[in-house]
DNA sequence: CTCCCCTCGGGAACCGGTTGCCATCGTGTT
DNA sequence: AACACGATGGCAACCGGTTCCCGAGGGGAG
C-alpha cells in the first residue's frame, strides 16, 4: 500500500505539501532544486511526489514566468519533401535549445495563417517561423507586416524562412537561400553541354521562389548572349502532377527543345515519367534537370541532376537567429548558398 | 494619436480595464462574449482592447481551465514520406477539432521519447500520439505501459499509431494498419505472375512493421504450397540506402531470383537504382515491388507496384479516437485495411 | 552562558486570467 | 407612487504554481 495510491488524475502542489506535512512553498523549493532544504524534508517531499505521481503543471509555471519556452512554425504542407526537411531542422534546433515546438499547416489558406499567428501571440511563443515560398503581393506584405508588428509588440519575433522579405524596417528575421544563383548555375551547366533550346517548367508566376528560379534561367541565357524563346517558358505549380501535365502538353504541341529544366524535383519527376511515357530516352533524347535535391532525386532513372538546397540548415538557422543565440549575426537577413549536383540526367547534345 | 499607443509588449487585462474605466471582470466578460454587458461598456472595452492591442494570455486561460486544448505527437523523423503523411493527418484533424499541435522528433532515441511524454503530461496535453513502428521488446512494452499509465492518471491518453500494441488492460488506443495482409496480397500478386524465387528486402528483424510484412511474404508462399528459400530473406532497415546496399550485395553474391519485394518504397527505390546500375531491366529481367505507396512510387521507372497504406487517414483517426469524438467506436484497437496498387514494375516471368 | 548568525520553512503576494455572488440602478407594474 | 425584477458590473476567490520576506530554532564563537 506504500507504492502508489494516486487515484484520479492531477494532484496539485498543495496535495503534495499536505502529504509531506510541509507547505507548498517548500515543495516548490525542493522541486526547484536550488534553495537550501534539509535532507530529511527533501526526502519526505520527494516521497510524497512519487506517491502521488506528481508533475507540476507546465501552464501554471509558464504563467508564473518559469515555463518552457515555445516556438511555432507554420508551413503549407508538411508532406512536401523540402518543407519536411525545413521542419526537421526547425524541430531539431528548437529541441536542442530547450523549446517546445508547435506546428500548423495552412494548406495555402492565408486566413489560417493569420489566425494561427494570433494564437501564437496569445501563447507568448518565443518566435513564429513562417516556412515556404509565397506570392509577393502588396497584400502579402501588408498582412505579413501586421503579423510581424503584432508579434514584435508582444515580445515575440516573426521569422520568414524561404519567404519573400518585407520592406525595410519590419521587425522580421529573414532566412533565404539563393534561388536565382542556383538556377543560374544549373542552367549554365545545361547550356555548357551544348543545349540551345531548353524548356523551363516553372511555378506560379507570382511566387517568389518560382520567380527567383526563373530569373536564374533567364540570366544564364543572357550571360551567354542567348535570348530564350518565350514559348519555352511554361508556368504551373510545384507539384509532380504539374510537371507531368506540362511535359505532356509540351510534347503534344511539338515544342522544340533538347533539354528541360524543372522548377523543382517534384516537377522534374512528373516530367520524367511523361517523357518516358512518350518513349523518349533521358538523357539520350532529351536532358532533364530539377531543383531542391530531394532524397529521391538519386533514385529517378536516370539519377537527376539538380540544385542542392540546405533545407535543414535553413530551418536550424531560422530558430537559432530567431532565438538570438548568435549575437555575431546582427544582420536580420541571411542568404544561404546553393550548389548544383551533377548526376546523370543531362547529357551533351547530339550524343546518345 | 488615437490609433495605437501601445509601447512595449503584453498588456494585462487590468491595463485594459483601467483604460476602459471598468473592472477586470467586465473586460473578461466582454471578451468572453456570453455574459450580458451594455453596449456602451462593450464599446469602451473593445476600444481599449484595440488601443492596447491586447490579447489574453493563453497560458493563464489554460490555468483557469478555459484554454485551447493541446495534443502532441511524436515520431522518429518527419522526413520520411509515410511519417510525414501521418503527421499531416494528425495535424489536420487536430486543427479541425480546435486543438493546438505539439510535435517532437526522437531520431530513434528512446530517452527523448520518454522525456517528451513526461513534458506532455506536465502540459496537460489532451493526448499524446506515438507514430511509427518500433521494436516489440519486453522493455518496449514496459516502458510504453508506464507512459500510458502516467498519461492516463493525468487524464490524458496515449495513442499508438502504427505501433505494436501493449498487452491487454493498458490504457491505450491503438490504430494500426494491416501490414501482413498487404504484404500477403502483394506477394500473392507477384507469385501469380509466375515468379518462383522472390527476394525479400526486409527491415530490422525486431521491428513489428517489418515483421508483419515479412509474415505476409511467408504466408503468401505457404498458401501456394511454396517454401521460400531462407537465403532470399534479407534484413536491413527502411531506408533507401539499405535497399541499395542489400540489392548490390544480393547481385554480387549471385543470388537466384526473378522478383524482389521490398519492405518499403524507399527500400525499393534504392534497390531499383542498384538494379539499373547492374544493367538489369525492370521488369524485363527482374520484377520489383514496394510497400507504402509514397507519391514518388509513380515516378520511378518503371512505375512501382506497391501496397497502398492510408497513412493520412491513420493520423486523422488517431486524433479522432483519442479525443473520443467517435463514441460509436468503443473499441480501442483499430486495424485499417491496405490494398495493392498494380503498376508497371512486376511482369510475368519469362516474358520481357 | 549569552549572543549572533546561519539554516530552514511558512505566510502571503503575485503571475494573468475566470467566475460565483451580490449590490446597485433603472424601469415596468399594480 | 411604491414595489419587484431584470440588466449590469464590481469584489473576491480560485486556477496552480513561484518567490519575497520574515520569524523560529540550532549551533558555534566569545
Amino acid at each position: 500500500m506504500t507504492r502508489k495510491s494516486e487515484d484520479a488524475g492531477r494532484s496539485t502542489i498543495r496535495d503534495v505539501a499536505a502529504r509531506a506535512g510541509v507547505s507548498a512553498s517548500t515543495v516548490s523549493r525542493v522541486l526547484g532544486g536550488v534553495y537550501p532544504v534539509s535532507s530529511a524534508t527533501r526526502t519526505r517531499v520527494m516521497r510524497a511526489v512519487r506517491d502521488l505521481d506528481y508533475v507540476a503543471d507546465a501552464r501554471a509555471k509558464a504563467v508564473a514566468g518559469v515555463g518552457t519556452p515555445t516556438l511555432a512554425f507554420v508551413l503549407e504542407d508538411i508532406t512536401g519533401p523540402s518543407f519536411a526537411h525545413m521542419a526537421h531542422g526547425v524541430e531539431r534546433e528548437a529541441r536542442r535549445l530547450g523549446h517546445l515546438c508547435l506546428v500548423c499547416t495552412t494548406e495555402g489558406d492565408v486566413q489560417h495563417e493569420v489566425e494561427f499567428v494570433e494564437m501564437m501571440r496569445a501563447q507568448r511563443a518565443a518566435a513564429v517561423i513562417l516556412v515556404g515560398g509565397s506570392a509577393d503581393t502588396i497584400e502579402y506584405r501588408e498582412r505579413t507586416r501586421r503579423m510581424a508588428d503584432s508579434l514584435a509588440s508582444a515580445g515575440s519575433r516573426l521569422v520568414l524562412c524561404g519567404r519573400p522579405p518585407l520592406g525595410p524596417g519590419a521587425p522580421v528575421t529573414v532566412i533565404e537561400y539563393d534561388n536565382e544563383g542556383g538556377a543560374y548555375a544549373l542552367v549554365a551547366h545545361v547550356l555548357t553541354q551544348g543545349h540551345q533550346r531548353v524548356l523551363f517548367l516553372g511555378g506560379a508566376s507570382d511566387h517568389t521562389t518560382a520567380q527567383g528560379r526563373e530569373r536564374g534561367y533567364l540570366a544564364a541565357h543572357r550571360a551567354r548572349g542567348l535570348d530564350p524563346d518565350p514559348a519555352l517558358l511554361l508556368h504551373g505549380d510545384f507539384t509532380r502532377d504539374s510537371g507531368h501535365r506540362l511535359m505532356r502538353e509540351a510534347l503534344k504541341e511539338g515544342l522544340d527543345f533538347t533539354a528541360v529544366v524543372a522548377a523543382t524535383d517534384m516537377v522534374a519527376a512528373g516530367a520524367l515519367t511523361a517523357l518516358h511515357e512518350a518513349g523518349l530516352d533521358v538523357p539520350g533524347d532529351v536532358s532533364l534537370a530539377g531543383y531542391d535535391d530531394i532524397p529521391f532525386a538519386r533514385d529517378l532513372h536516370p539519377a537527376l541532376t539538380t540544385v542542392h538546397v540546405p533545407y535543414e540548415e535553413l530551418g536550424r538557422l531560422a530558430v537559432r537567429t530567431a532565438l538570438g543565440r548568435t549575437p555575431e549575426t546582427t544582420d536580420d537577413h541571411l542568404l544561404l548558398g546553393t550548389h548544383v549536383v551533377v548526376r546523370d540526367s543531362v547529357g551533351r547534345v547530339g550524343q546518345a
Side-chain angles (χ1 to χ4, degrees), chain A:
Chain A
M1 200 45 77
T2 136
R3 254 334 179 6
K4 287 192 177 185
S5 54
E6 94 280 12
D7 40 318
R10 359 164 206 254
S11 28
T12 77
I13 197 172
R14 297 174 233 274
D15 297 334
V16 176
R19 182 175 246 265
V22 297
S23 76
S25 15
T26 300
V27 175
S28 176
R29 292 201 259 254
V30 168
L31 262 24
V34 280
Y35 196 88
V37 174
S38 76
S39 81
T41 308
R42 153 166 293 115
T43 306
R44 283 216 316 287
V45 169
M46 289 312 270
R47 161 158 197 151
V49 165
R50 233 179 317 272
D51 286 351
L52 263 33
D53 200 20
Y54 169 78
V55 178
D57 187 318
R59 292 110 31 112
K61 295 184 79 142
V63 121
V66 292
T68 306
T70 296
L71 165 165
F73 72 97
V74 183
L75 34 58
E76 207 175 304
D77 177 8
I78 193 91
T79 273
S82 36
F83 286 166
H85 278 88
M86 287 199 249
H88 193 228
V90 167
E91 201 279 338
R92 274 180 68 112
E93 192 68 12
R95 188 154 46 71
R96 205 176 68 78
L97 264 28
H99 283 239
L100 248 28
C101 210
L102 278 161
V103 62
C104 173
T105 70
T106 63
E107 333 244 341
D109 186 333
V110 170
Q111 198 51 36
H112 280 158
E113 186 174 296
V114 173
E115 282 164 13
F116 183 74
V117 168
E118 197 62 8
M119 290 198 98
M120 290 310 98
R121 189 160 77 110
Q123 292 284 343
R124 306 301 190 246
V128 178
I129 303 180
L130 261 36
V131 154
S134 162
D136 184 12
T137 62
I138 295 283
E139 195 271 332
Y140 161 80
R141 292 201 181 208
E142 284 178 353
R143 165 167 47 86
T144 310
R145 173 74 193 238
R146 256 193 305 277
M147 294 194 288
D149 285 334
S150 159
L151 248 17
S153 86
S156 179
R157 185 153 189 92
L158 186 67
V159 181
L160 266 24
C161 189
R163 275 213 171 198
L166 277 23
V172 143
T173 299
V174 179
I175 316 277
E176 285 186 291
Y177 55 95
D178 191 2
N179 275 306
E180 179 169 348
Y184 182 98
L186 178 67
V187 174
H189 167 71
V190 171
L191 294 176
T192 301
Q193 301 302 305
H195 297 276
Q196 302 272 350
R197 296 185 58 81
V198 2
L199 179 65
F200 186 75
L201 269 24
S205 48
D206 60 352
H207 194 280
T208 52
T209 304
Q211 289 170 342
R213 295 177 185 187
E214 189 172 320
R215 273 200 307 277
Y217 165 85
L218 262 21
H221 278 81
R222 300 218 181 89
R224 318 195 118 231
L226 297 169
D227 197 19
D229 183 348
L232 295 182
L233 199 49
L234 269 30
H235 293 279
D237 57 40
F238 283 168
T239 64
R240 179 260 173 212
D241 286 346
S242 170
H244 191 251
R245 186 175 48 73
L246 251 33
M247 193 71 246
R248 274 230 302 235
E249 288 173 8
L251 256 18
K252 203 171 86 182
E253 290 174 14
L255 244 42
D256 176 28
F257 56 87
T258 64
V260 9
V261 169
T264 70
D265 286 351
M266 299 282 279
V267 172
L272 179 60
T273 94
L275 252 13
H276 281 149
E277 286 164 3
L280 262 19
D281 180 57
V282 179
D285 298 321
V286 17
S287 288
L288 175 67
Y291 205 116
D292 282 344
D293 193 23
I294 64 178
F296 263 100
R298 261 183 317 188
D299 291 313
L300 292 174
H301 188 65
L304 192 67
T305 289
T306 186
V307 176
H308 182 78
V309 180
Y311 281 118
E312 187 166 334
E313 179 65 14
L314 217 59
R316 272 209 293 269
L317 226 50
V319 352
R320 217 176 307 150
T321 74
L323 266 29
R325 297 296 179 114
T326 50
E328 67 270 23
T329 26
T330 66
D331 200 346
D332 270 326
H333 194 318
L334 264 62
L335 187 69
L336 265 55
T338 53
H339 62 266
V340 1
V341 0
V342 175
R343 288 197 267 252
D344 312 325
S345 65
V346 358
R348 286 205 65 79
V349 68
Q351 175 170 316

